[in-house]
Amino acid sequence: MTTGRNSTGPRLAFLGLVAAMAVAAGCTDSRLLTGVYRTTAEAPVVVDGVPGLEGGAYLELVLGEYGPDVAGIIRFYADPDFIQTIGGVCHCRFLTKGRFEGGVLVFAFLDPSSCSQATVDLISARLTESDNGDTLEGPIGRVLATARTARFKRTTAAGDLGSEDKTCDEVGSELPVDSGPGDEAAETGEGAE
């Protein structure tokens, strides 16, 4: 009979260490903010100086965090059920310059009052996280020092994001609908053939 070392103990210890490392990797802040956040229904968010948002809007953030970089979309709604869009305003905008460091998320997005891709006017946000990343709160506006505060609550976790959450047709609803060739109106008046 050959005697050998019992390797069950070290194997279990190694598997436990691997499991602990996997759990720890899943808990790092590289996935902390990924998900959908919506403003609370108590009151719409007022963004001063932005036509269409000055009267208040319900905002939705779809965030994806990759280390300190954050990408995403902001959507604008007229009702607390997040169904009706706001007339004359882009339905959504992509976030730019998103960063998450020290528990603070900063980002900007193009002014939604003009759905023109040529616009260069930016709206900024500086949101502080709390409740283990489930709440974001801070100013949104043209000038953060005087901007009003918005509060967002996470409604969808990273694993529950669908492909529809990750799309944004910034100008799609503002362009005239063209059903295809042949639907053009007949030209009348001077110069018509």
Side-chain angles (χ1 to χ4, degrees), residues 68-91:
D69 297 324
V70 177
I73 298 168
I74 186 167
R75 294 189 176 99
F76 312 96
Y77 294 94
D79 65 305
D81 296 322
F82 296 86
I83 296 172
Q84 298 174 349
T85 57
I86 301 172
V89 173
C90 290
H91 295 174

Side-chain angles (χ1 to χ4, degrees), residues 38-52:
R38 289 181 170 175
T39 52
T40 56
E42 290 101 32
V45 175
V46 174
V47 184
D48 294 323
V50 180

Side-chain angles (χ1 to χ4, degrees), residues 185-193:
E187 289 185 17
T188 59
E190 191 175 28
E193 294 181 34

Side-chain angles (χ1 to χ4, degrees), residues 1-50:
M1 177 168 180
T2 309
T3 59
R5 211 169 57 137
N6 183 353
S7 62
T8 304
R11 280 188 194 166
L12 288 175
F14 177 72
L15 291 175
L17 180 62
V18 169
M21 289 171 52
V23 168
C27 293
T28 64
D29 65 358
S30 67
R31 300 280 295 173
L32 183 64
L33 294 181
T34 299
V36 176
Y37 293 78
R38 289 181 170 175
T39 52
T40 56
E42 290 101 32
V45 175
V46 174
V47 184
D48 294 323
V50 180

Side-chain angles (χ1 to χ4, degrees), residues 52-185:
L53 302 183
E54 291 174 317
Y58 294 90
L59 307 179
E60 178 181 79
L61 290 172
V62 180
L63 302 176
E65 184 181 354
Y66 310 95
D69 297 324
V70 177
I73 298 168
I74 186 167
R75 294 189 176 99
F76 312 96
Y77 294 94
D79 65 305
D81 296 322
F82 296 86
I83 296 172
Q84 298 174 349
T85 57
I86 301 172
V89 173
C90 290
H91 295 174
C92 58
R93 284 293 198 184
F94 288 102
L95 304 185
T96 62
K97 304 178 183 183
R99 300 283 292 170
F100 181 67
E101 295 177 311
V104 178
L105 169 65
V106 294
F107 62 85
F109 56 94
L110 290 174
D111 183 339
S113 61
S114 167
C115 281
S116 168
Q117 292 294 335
T119 187
V120 295
D121 293 334
L122 291 175
I123 310 301
S124 301
R126 185 179 59 241
L127 308 176
T128 302
E129 64 98 14
S130 60
D131 300 327
N132 295 321
D134 286 336
T135 303
L136 299 169
E137 186 171 6
I140 295 180
R142 291 189 187 279
V143 180
L144 289 180
T146 59
R148 298 184 194 209
T149 297
R151 181 178 173 88
F152 295 84
K153 296 284 280 176
R154 188 190 320 249
T155 60
T156 306
D160 298 325
L161 286 175
S163 59
E164 69 279 355
D165 293 317
K166 301 172 188 175
T167 60
C168 172
D169 184 6
E170 291 181 299
V171 297
S173 64
E174 300 300 319
L175 296 176
V177 176
D178 178 7
S179 61
D183 69 341
E184 299 84 14

